Amino acid sequence: MELQPDVIRNLVLFKYTCKSSVSLVVQLARQSALTLQSIDIDSEQDIDFAGLVQDVDNSYVAYPRLIILKLWGPSHNNEPQRPAFNGTVPFSCLRSLSIGHDYPFGGDTFFRGN
C-alpha cells in the first residue's frame, strides 16, 4: 500500500513501534524529511535502511534537521549497503545515533557533513 503524497507531511518527531512491516513507516519518514528532528523506529520486522535515504525513484533524501536517529530491528539486507549519494548529505545535523543491530551501511553514511 502506498501513502498518497501530502497526506501527512511536516512531522517533527516520529516514533514507531510494532511487529509488522515498516515499509509505510519509511515512506512516511521520507515525506517529512525536511522537518523531522527525531526518528525512533523499533520493529521486529526487517527495516529497509536504504529506503530512509533513497526514494523509490532512486533520488537521495536528506534530513537537514534530524538530530536524533534510533533504529531497532533486523536489517533488510545482510550485506552492508553502499549508496552513492552524489553530493547529498543525508543527516547533516545528526547528534545522536542508536542502532540496535549491525551497522547497516558500508561507509560513513550517517556521519557525512557532521
Side-chain angles (χ1 to χ4, degrees):
M1 173 168 44
E2 290 288 316
L3 291 175
Q4 295 300 314
D6 297 319
V7 171
I8 299 176
R9 290 196 180 266
N10 302 323
L11 296 174
V12 176
L13 304 173
F14 188 76
K15 180 175 175 72
Y16 180 79
T17 303
C18 89
K19 296 180 180 182
S20 62
S21 173
V22 295
S23 60
L24 289 175
V25 172
V26 169
Q27 183 179 357
L28 183 59
R30 282 194 314 257
Q31 288 181 342
S32 292
L34 294 177
T35 56
L36 278 172
Q37 295 177 12
S38 175
I39 296 175
D40 184 346
I41 299 174
D42 184 355
S43 175
E44 292 181 8
Q45 299 297 315
D46 287 349
I47 300 172
D48 179 12
F49 295 105
L52 282 173
V53 295
Q54 189 171 8
D55 210 338
V56 293
D57 64 357
N58 292 326
S59 59
Y60 292 98
V61 179
Y63 296 79
R65 296 182 180 179
L66 193 72
I67 298 168
I68 300 168
L69 181 58
K70 297 178 182 179
L71 302 171
W72 297 91
S75 177
H76 182 71
N77 187 339
N78 291 333
E79 294 294 318
Q81 301 164 23
R82 299 179 186 275
F85 288 101
N86 301 326
T88 301
V89 178
F91 307 109
S92 60
C93 290
L94 192 64
R95 297 294 172 253
S96 176
L97 174 64
S98 299
I99 299 178
H101 49 76
D102 293 336
Y103 185 73
F105 294 104
D108 63 352
T109 301
F110 288 117
F111 306 106
R112 290 188 187 163
N114 293 322

